[in-house]
Amino acid sequence: MSTERDVTRIVRSWLRTDEYDFPVEIVDDVLARLDATPQDRLIWPARRFADMNTYTKLAIAAAAVVVVAFAAFNLVPRTGVGGPGVATPPPTLAPTPSPTAAAFPPAGALTIGRHSMVLEGLTVSFNVSTSGWISNGSFGVDRSPDIGPEGASFIFWTDTPVGVFIDPCAAVRGPSVGVSTAALADAVASVPGTDLVSGPSDVTVGGHPAKLVVISIPDDIGCDPQRFNLWYAPTPGFARYATALGSTYRVWIIDVNGTPVWMDGETFKGAGPEPARQLQKIVDSIQFE
Amino acid sequence: MDTDLVVRAQHGDKDAFGILATEAASRFFAVARRILRDRDLAQDATQQALLSTWRALPRLSDPARFEAWSYRLLVRACYAEGQKERRWAPNLRLLPMDMPVVDDGLSSIVDRDQLEAGFRRLSIDHRAVVVLHHYLDLPLDRVADIVGIPVGTAHSRLHHAMCALRAALEADLRPSVREAAQ
């Protein structure tokens, strides 16, 4: 049993030893936006307003209400209002920026349609044909916020993994296997403690040759699944770990003109065919631009 | 804090604000990252807080209070960004093995994972109080001022949060206890 002092010490230590790289571009981005960000100015100098008598303050306040009400009245669209009125200028269309690929679809629900992202420096797009998919804004999309038979999720690796764990529970990494999709697929198929369901198989994704490996997490992995590490990227420390016992992972490793691009989809224990079908549908829609 | 810089920035001096922003940004990000547990959300919160600071500076009556006042804007930005947070199933983590090895009472990776999970279950309101008090070392009356709550509420939130974190730490012991009893 931890004492209160122990918990305080542990929490303080945890908060202080967590270290994060500071994104230096923050300040530049903010300074670049200052010209478009006017500073607040008081309409009346506060001191002068405080010196006024009550009637003057009320008069100014009343005038302000009238001005605001008038402005609001003129700004509200008058759909359905007939008869003569104030002539309004014809609507103008704001210039539409030409579409550019975002690094990842912004966090939130994905609309039905095509979404793009940048993986390994390549612009990739995929189609969402049903509602319910959510982007986390940086690396994944998820069909259900809950882990369960109906759920499905993707990690699209902006930075392709280069190796797997040789002791998943102890987080011991095997050596990097390089950029060969065949070697990467073989490594995935041999993660200790996992069950190989199928593959590596030769498939095509977005018109490019790819390897597909399907593995699952058995019930006897020997540690909590969330401490069961699967594969890692060269970005220091980033690795995939299992979500739950019984999860199935479909790993597509695509050879885009010599550049490996990696995406893995997860379905959960008890899943019927539909979640996997949804994952495959998204993979089938992938296009490289 | 150089109050002259604050006064100059209040009067629209962008160079002065640039110096203030440069000084504040890494502190803001460190706090936001700890409250929000998400790099992208923390980055957005930091940017929003800095822009809010610039926008609202003319309304700051006491330039000497700039730091506490700007933290208040940061906490508000964290609340706003926290609304965007969603429960997320796919798992990608920064491996504990890449973290600095310090003899700090965090006996294992398990403690870090349990703390992380427990902390994420707290509301942003509770996380903010924990981070301001235990990370920035601010006394609870100043925490209350920054968050905009009575001091008693700050005490109550801190107590609730620490109880939850203790429960998270101890939860990991329970399977072992069950195994031992069998």
Side-chain angles (χ1 to χ4, degrees), chain A residues 12 15 18 171 226 237 243, chain B residues 34 91 93 97-98 104 137:
Chain A
R12 290 174 77 89
L15 287 171
D18 265 0
Q226 296 190 5
T243 302
Chain B
R34 282 166 174 82
N91 296 299
R93 67 151 56 122
M97 70 175 98
D98 293 319
D104 54 9
D137 270 337

Side-chain angles (χ1 to χ4, degrees), chain A residues 1-5 7-23 25-27 29-31 33-35 37-42 107-109 134-142 144-147 153-155 157 165 170-173 226-229 232 236-243 266 268, chain B residues 9-14 17-18 21-22 25-26 29-30 33-34 37-40 42-43 46-48 50-51 53-59 84 86-95 97-100 102 104-106 109-116 119 130-131 133-137 159 162 165-166 169-170 172-173:
Chain A
M1 181 66 68
S2 307
T3 66
E4 193 170 325
R5 185 174 296 177
V7 175
T8 299
R9 183 171 54 84
I10 291 170
V11 168
R12 290 174 77 89
S13 179
W14 173 67
L15 287 171
R16 284 149 198 259
T17 54
D18 265 0
E19 291 181 358
Y20 308 109
D21 291 335
F22 171 62
E25 67 273 18
I26 286 180
V27 177
D29 290 348
V30 167
L31 297 181
R33 291 163 65 182
L34 290 188
D35 284 335
T37 309
Q39 286 188 304
D40 292 348
R41 295 288 170 203
L42 297 178
I134 297 166
S135 166
N136 76 346
S138 55
F139 61 81
V141 297
D142 178 15
S144 162
D146 297 314
I147 297 167
S153 65
F154 265 113
I155 286 181
W157 290 76
F165 288 83
V172 177
R173 284 182 276 201
Q226 296 190 5
R227 286 184 207 111
F228 191 82
N229 297 281
Y232 64 90
F238 277 100
R240 170 69 125 137
Y241 62 100
T243 302
E266 180 177 19
F268 302 104
Chain B
Q10 282 186 300
H11 288 84
D13 184 332
K14 294 186 177 74
F17 182 75
T22 303
S26 61
F29 180 76
R33 181 70 179 77
R34 282 166 174 82
R37 317 307 300 169
D38 181 285
R39 180 186 170 85
D40 293 336
Q43 188 164 341
T46 302
Q47 285 187 336
Q48 286 309 314
L50 289 172
L51 285 171
T53 301
W54 165 253
R55 204 163 28 233
L57 258 174
R59 289 193 276 126
K84 299 177 184 173
R86 290 173 183 275
R87 185 171 168 198
W88 183 240
N91 296 299
L92 195 63
R93 67 151 56 122
L94 189 60
L95 283 176
M97 70 175 98
D98 293 319
M99 295 176 179
V102 181
D104 54 9
L106 289 169
I109 291 169
V110 175
D111 279 351
R112 289 185 184 280
D113 282 356
Q114 295 301 110
L115 276 173
E116 183 72 40
F119 198 79
V130 171
V131 171
H133 183 62
H134 283 313
Y135 175 64
L136 287 184
D137 270 337
H159 177 73
M162 296 306 286
L165 292 174
R166 174 196 282 201
L169 282 168
E170 291 175 354
D172 197 60
L173 298 174

Side-chain angles (χ1 to χ4, degrees), chain A residues 8-272:
Chain A
T8 299
R9 183 171 54 84
I10 291 170
V11 168
R12 290 174 77 89
S13 179
W14 173 67
L15 287 171
R16 284 149 198 259
T17 54
D18 265 0
E19 291 181 358
Y20 308 109
D21 291 335
F22 171 62
V24 290
E25 67 273 18
I26 286 180
V27 177
D28 291 338
D29 290 348
V30 167
L31 297 181
R33 291 163 65 182
L34 290 188
D35 284 335
T37 309
Q39 286 188 304
D40 292 348
R41 295 288 170 203
L42 297 178
I43 296 173
W44 298 286
R47 182 175 53 80
R48 195 173 157 210
F49 190 66
D51 290 343
M52 292 172 188
N53 66 39
T54 305
Y55 293 112
T56 310
K57 288 178 191 172
L58 283 174
I60 290 173
V65 168
V66 170
V67 168
V68 170
F70 180 79
F73 179 77
N74 280 293
L75 285 173
V76 170
R78 277 169 250 162
T79 308
V81 176
V86 178
T88 53
T92 55
L93 289 175
T96 305
S98 52
T100 54
F104 207 80
L110 292 175
T111 54
I112 291 175
R114 191 154 278 278
H115 300 269
S116 64
M117 57 198 166
V118 177
L119 307 180
E120 276 293 321
L122 300 164
T123 301
V124 185
S125 66
F126 62 96
N127 192 59
V128 170
S129 58
T130 56
S131 61
W133 286 93
I134 297 166
S135 166
N136 76 346
S138 55
F139 61 81
V141 297
D142 178 15
R143 199 169 80 100
S144 162
D146 297 314
I147 297 167
E150 302 304 316
S153 65
F154 265 113
I155 286 181
F156 294 107
W157 290 76
T158 52
D159 189 16
T160 296
V162 292
V164 301
F165 288 83
I166 53 175
D167 186 346
C169 287
V172 177
R173 284 182 276 201
S176 167
V177 298
V179 297
S180 154
T181 55
L184 288 167
D186 287 343
V188 170
S190 62
V191 176
T194 60
D195 289 340
L196 179 62
V197 177
S198 66
S201 317
D202 290 317
V203 296
T204 301
V205 177
H208 295 273
K211 296 286 184 184
L212 169 63
V213 187
V214 185
I215 63 170
S216 64
I217 309 299
D219 289 337
D220 55 351
I221 53 176
C223 63
D224 186 295
Q226 296 190 5
R227 286 184 207 111
F228 191 82
N229 297 281
L230 296 167
W231 35 86
Y232 64 90
T235 301
F238 277 100
R240 170 69 125 137
Y241 62 100
T243 302
L245 298 176
S247 283
T248 297
Y249 295 93
R250 289 165 176 78
V251 183
W252 291 267
I253 309 168
I254 309 150
D255 181 349
V256 186
N257 306 321
T259 301
V261 172
W262 183 304
M263 49 196 72
D264 52 64
E266 180 177 19
T267 55
F268 302 104
K269 193 171 190 173

Side-chain angles (χ1 to χ4, degrees), chain B:
Chain B
M1 179 57 59
D2 185 344
T3 53
D4 180 53
L5 281 176
V6 177
V7 173
R8 282 168 51 199
Q10 282 186 300
H11 288 84
D13 184 332
K14 294 186 177 74
D15 292 336
F17 182 75
I19 297 169
L20 291 172
T22 303
E23 287 174 359
S26 61
R27 287 185 287 111
F28 277 15
F29 180 76
V31 170
R33 181 70 179 77
R34 282 166 174 82
I35 292 174
L36 293 166
R37 317 307 300 169
D38 181 285
R39 180 186 170 85
D40 293 336
L41 293 179
Q43 188 164 341
D44 288 348
T46 302
Q47 285 187 336
Q48 286 309 314
L50 289 172
L51 285 171
S52 297
T53 301
W54 165 253
R55 204 163 28 233
L57 258 174
R59 289 193 276 126
L60 173 63
S61 56
D62 180 2
R65 286 182 45 77
F66 173 79
E67 191 169 312
W69 173 80
S70 60
Y71 273 129
R72 184 179 305 164
L73 299 179
L74 174 67
V75 170
R76 283 185 198 158
C78 286
Y79 287 147
E81 290 300 320
Q83 302 299 315
K84 299 177 184 173
E85 197 176 25
R86 290 173 183 275
R87 185 171 168 198
W88 183 240
N91 296 299
L92 195 63
R93 67 151 56 122
L94 189 60
L95 283 176
M97 70 175 98
D98 293 319
M99 295 176 179
V101 178
V102 181
D103 182 12
D104 54 9
L106 289 169
S107 57
S108 66
I109 291 169
V110 175
D111 279 351
R112 289 185 184 280
D113 282 356
Q114 295 301 110
L115 276 173
E116 183 72 40
F119 198 79
R120 282 175 181 270
R121 282 194 290 270
L122 297 175
S123 70
I124 301 289
D125 293 330
H126 289 84
R127 295 185 208 175
V129 172
V130 171
V131 171
L132 293 173
H133 183 62
H134 283 313
Y135 175 64
L136 287 184
D137 270 337
L138 297 177
L140 278 175
D141 58 340
R142 285 191 62 197
V143 171
D145 182 40
I146 287 171
V147 179
I149 55 176
V151 178
T153 305
H155 276 282
S156 162
R157 284 186 187 171
L158 183 65
H159 177 73
H160 171 87
M162 296 306 286
C163 287
L165 292 174
R166 174 196 282 201
L169 282 168
E170 291 175 354
D172 197 60
L173 298 174
R174 288 178 200 145
S176 306
V177 172
R178 280 204 301 273
E179 285 162 16
Q182 286 170 353

